[in-house]
Amino acid sequence: MSNARRGRTASHWGSYLVDTVDDEVVGVTPVPDDPAPSPIGQNYRGNLRGGPRITAPAVRKGWLENRSRKGRGADEFVEVTADEAVELVASELERIGREYGNESIFGGSYGWGSAGRFHHAQSQVHRFLNSIGGYTRSVNTYSHAADEVILPHLVGDRAEFLRSVPSWKEIAEHTQEFVAFGGLPARSTQVNPGGVGAHVNLAGQEAAAQAGVSFTLITPVRTDTVEQLGGQWVPLRPNTDVALMLGLAHTILDAGLADIDFLQRCCVGWERVRAELTGSIDGQAKDARWASEITEVPESVIIDLAHRIGSHRSLIAVTWSLQRQHHGEMAYWAALTLAAMSGSLGLPGGGFGTGYSSMHNAHVWDRLSPAAALPQGKNPVSSFIPVARIADLLLHPGEAFEYNGRTARYPDIRLVYWVGGNPFHHHQDLNRLMRAWEKPDTIVVHEPYWNALAKRADIVFPAATSLEREDFTIGMADNWLSWMDRVADPPPGVVTDYETFAAITTHMGFGETFTEGRSPAQWVERLWDETRSKARSLGFDLPDLETFRRRGSIQLDMPRVAPTAFSSLRRNPQENPLTTPSGRIELYSATIDDFGYADCPGWARWMEPAEWLGGDLARTYPFHLVSPQPDGKLHSQYDHGSESRRHKVDGRTVVRISPEDAARRMVTDDEVVRIFNARGACLAAVRIDTGIRPGVLSLPTGAWYDPVDPAEAGSLDRHGNPNVLTVDIGTSSLAQGPSAHTCLVDLERLDEVPPSVDAHRPPRIHPRPQTPPQSGEPE
Ligand SMILES: Nc1nc2c(c(=O)[nH]1)N[C@H]1C(S)=C(S)[C@@H](COP(=O)(O)OP(=O)(O)OC[C@H]3O[C@@H](n4cnc5c(=O)[nH]c(N)nc54)[C@H](O)[C@@H]3O)O[C@H]1N2
Ligand SMILES: Nc1nc2c(c(=O)[nH]1)N[C@H]1C(S)=C(S)[C@@H](COP(=O)(O)OP(=O)(O)OC[C@H]3O[C@@H](n4cnc5c(=O)[nH]c(N)nc54)[C@H](O)[C@@H]3O)O[C@H]1N2
Ligand SMILES: [Mo]
């Protein structure tokens, strides 16, 4: 007899009603509350059982037999019982803590995991590692590390700044010129961290266009943005936005349109900016001609746009992608400088805003949230890395690094513990990461699926998916609370991350510290109670858990409050100072200047990125590769799902190329090409696109890394993962963020038959041996 269930789930890409039969998903229906649901949810179908699902704890053969650090990615696995796996991990954690100290455990474990307040993978793993004595952590995000570090220097409290940015509603009412650096990629608005109850962002964009807002889309890829916005496309050379911004600023100054009163009253550093623009610092005026040479945007376009910015209510918007590149800090600083000069900063619908399309809830709802979080405990270990310095950490133990004005040291990492993220998806220069990955004694991973990370672990715990446990979500800056049912039982023997951590801590004698004696259901109850009392302090009355569970979702009335920070600053900077050292907007920062970083000066300057089309390397690698977020999935999650596969050609990622370049290289639609540089090579399927600038290729992230020879760093990736090509350098010494969008490559036709993609096939797994494995010392 079949066992059919229907229940509700919530995810980073929306909420759905899910039908299962015999613990497999057979139907996915968006909830009626969502006017524009994301198709990403369809990836759930047929993916709970079979295929790449991990169904038992497994240990890499080479590690099990002789603690070998070689062979990660190529080795076979041996299934063990949960008790054996727990015993192996517990004794490794004890050994490393004893011999090297807990700073030799890296638990930065970056990644999105799944939605849910209690089962949130990062909170779980950090609470676990804290309860056994701490770990080396990571700071900031891959999404916007450069912004997280620089904005507090420029505008003070970043959270307060983000609450002050004009909403789409305000834009429709007041903005005349919306200048979008990085475009407004519609695809990204499908997603919101922690959940999105109803997709309304694109409707907000379209309403603004209908209200007469004029859009200028400054991006090498026009195709990202919804057509209804119309607007002017300015296809600049990638990574030259700062030069364009300075050229616009110079033109505004030259035309007498700069808001000198605001610059002098509300900002510090205007004299420095003026000196930079006029050339009295380096002898080079940053005029439209100068900017045109760097950006390849015609001078007349720059002059026209500058006049529109300087004489209308204008909003300078920057995507997050603009700071995910070399010197990414400068893109935000230059945009803020331009906005401060425009005459619109601090006025309704005007000024400077970030990430308008980078996440669903960017500037849609108020950011106050009643969400309770799983307490993570205290980390007694102080060592840390900027999140994107993971390969440097493993390759350079003991070496010093710079970060935001301080010098710190990389500890000597012996054990890596990763839960709810995928560095073989998210990190740059995967071939370099492969070499770094050989350094630790032991790598422990929890994963639902045999992806590239799980295949490169020593000890793998299977994890129950979000469809196989109960929880609830409140997305970041979202106004919905959504219940998550257990719509299927996990495969026999598969448990949640929490239950695995409870077993390991109990084995090590810290069980009570980790669990506080609570079952998962009791934790969910406790987090709900806390959410209710936080909600009460915000003026909302939430029902008890049973009522919430029955109703499934609750919407809070949380419209955006009218922005205040910059308008009150504009009114009276003495009475309403920002939380910067000067109390004003810092167009020049003495703090940053005093850090003395050659790659991050104290005011907005154009600096050549490590790789760009105007540099010498472009003679060898003539294409700039951008690697945007994927359309049919979140990062690498459910890469094997139907919606993800719909965006591939014969299972391979699609690379977009201009008609001119396609003709020059004699490649046609769907043809498989090899994309390469000195760091690596991958295959991808061609899609000719009139919305892409010649000289630029766009290859989205998310394909599970699939090298022909998994034992060899540098081997051809068959699947189309751009991170075999991207460069692993920090944005600058200030934030040390990822520089994924700074990347030159070449492309060629593939004359032989392309090897087929093998990424979703599990590794070879041996059944459990008769004699249980021994825990022991590494060789
Ligand atoms: N080239 C290039 N690279 C980039 C970017 C780019 O623009 N260009 N963008 C970067 C950005 S902004 C980001 S945020 C990162 C994203 O990188 P990640 O967040 O690391 O990517 P995900 O694929 O979301 O990884 C989440 C993993 O957690 C697993 N998982 C889900 N739920 C659970 C759970 O409950 N328990 C456990 N144990 N596992 C779970 C999923 O199966 C998946 O493998 O990528 C970065 N990489
Ligand atoms: N469907 C889907 N949506 C997502 C995600 C996902 O995985 N899937 N991930 C989410 C996450 S974690 C994040 S952080 C956000 C990221 O959101 P964003 O950072 O906004 O998105 P990206 O796709 O990285 O880049 C957007 C566009 O920037 C442009 N671009 C790249 N380089 C340059 C440049 O030098 N100059 C200019 N002017 N433009 C450039 C390209 O056209 C690119 O398509 O997206 C979120 N939304
Ligand atoms: Mo991100």
Side-chain angles (χ1 to χ4, degrees), residues 375-400:
Q376 297 186 10
K378 280 221 162 23
N379 187 353
V381 173
S382 62
S383 52
F384 75 99
I385 59 162
V387 68
R389 302 277 51 84
I390 171 71
D392 286 347
L393 164 72
L394 300 178
L395 288 168
H396 301 293
E399 273 183 31

Side-chain angles (χ1 to χ4, degrees), residues 23 50 80 158 173 200 252 316 322 356 410 431 442 477 481 509 515 555 603 680 777-778:
D23 301 307
V80 296
R158 185 173 173 272
E173 284 165 15
V200 297
I252 287 176
I316 309 300
L322 279 206
Y356 269 99
Y410 293 124
N431 291 309
T442 302
L481 297 87
T515 65
Q555 189 179 18
W603 64 99
E777 305 292 302

Side-chain angles (χ1 to χ4, degrees), residues 88 165 617 705:
L88 285 172
V165 173
L617 193 66
Y705 172 52

Side-chain angles (χ1 to χ4, degrees), residues 318 415 536 656 771:
V318 280
L415 184 144
R536 218 167 291 130
R656 290 178 186 275
T771 45

